[in-house]
Structure formats: C-alpha cells, structure tokens
C-alpha cells in the first residue's frame, strides 16, 4: 500500500512562489511515475504535471509551462512541484498521485494514477 503525503501549500500573493513536496512510502518509490493534479472549488480534478520513474521525462499542462517545475528525489522518496509566478487561477487543492508504471501513457488522465494523497491547499490572492 502506498500513502503519499503532501506538504508545502499555503497562501501567497499573485506572482509569489511555493514548493510542494510529496513523501510516498510503502513501495519502491523510484520505480513508478508520479504526478500532481489539482481541484478548484466546483471544478473537476485536472492534471498539472507528471514525471517518469527516472525523472527523465516530464509533462505539464499548458497553463503552467514555464512557471511550474516537477522533480523527484528517488533517494529521499520525495516528489516536488516548484511553482513560480503564481496566479489566482492556480488556487486549488493540489494532490500528489502515484502510478503503477514507469512511464505514463496518458499522464493527463486521473485514471493513470493508483494512489492519492489527501491534498494540500494552495491559495493565490489577487
């Protein structure tokens, strides 16, 4: 059983930065692709970024390209999301998700991920 645990959310002003972390225990962390997805009030959960098992391949939704960076440390069993130049539309609960494959076929689809954290709130004030 895998239990991802997110941290690092908070309240920031427009243009600010945050770094989210996700510690995932329970299986060999470095063997599986992982991702970040988010859900704003009244909206469906949406893909933000994903990374392959080795970190060699990354994926981003268009609206965060150039602002967000996903990375992982397989020694520390931790996934990161560095978010710069935050905008009010980035406000959401951010979820860390773990797959059962090394490289995702459809990284934007929530069904690709098998284990989810409880989420961390990110609020960007205008």
């Amino acid at each position: 059983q895998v239990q991802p645990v997110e941290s690092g959310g908070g309240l920031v002003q427009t243009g600010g930065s945050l770094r989210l972390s996700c510690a995932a225990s329970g299986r060999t962390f470095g063997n599986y692709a992982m991702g970040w997805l988010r859900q704003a009030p009244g909206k469906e959960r949406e893909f933000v970024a994903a990374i392959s098992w080795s970190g060699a391949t990354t994926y981003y939704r268009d609206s965060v390209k150039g602002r967000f960076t996903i990375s992982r440390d397989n020694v520390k069993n931790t996934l990161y999301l560095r978010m710069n130049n935050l905008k009010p539309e980035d406000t959401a609960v951010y979820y860390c998700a773990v797959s059962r494959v090394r490289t995702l076929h459809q990284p934007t689809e929530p069904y690709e991920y098998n284990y989810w954290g409880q989420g961390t709130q990110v609020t960007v004030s205008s």
Side-chain angles (χ1 to χ4, degrees), residues 36-108:
W36 291 97
L37 294 90
R38 67 188 181 188
Q39 188 166 17
K43 295 187 177 181
E44 293 186 352
R45 193 168 297 188
E46 65 180 19
F47 167 77
V48 177
I51 189 167
S52 62
W53 68 280
S54 66
T57 304
T58 57
Y59 313 85
Y60 297 94
R61 71 179 297 109
D62 287 345
S63 62
V64 309
K65 286 180 181 177
R67 299 189 297 122
F68 290 11
T69 302
I70 188 170
S71 61
R72 64 190 298 163
D73 186 330
N74 288 346
V75 174
K76 296 182 178 179
N77 285 0
T78 304
L79 176 72
Y80 303 99
L81 184 67
R82 177 67 181 181
M83 305 184 294
N84 294 328
N85 190 22
L86 282 160
K87 304 176 180 181
E89 51 264 41
D90 295 318
T91 295
V93 176
Y94 283 70
Y95 296 92
C96 170
V98 185
S99 75
R100 293 178 181 163
V101 297
R102 290 197 167 196
T103 302
L104 297 160
H105 296 290
Q106 297 288 344
T108 63

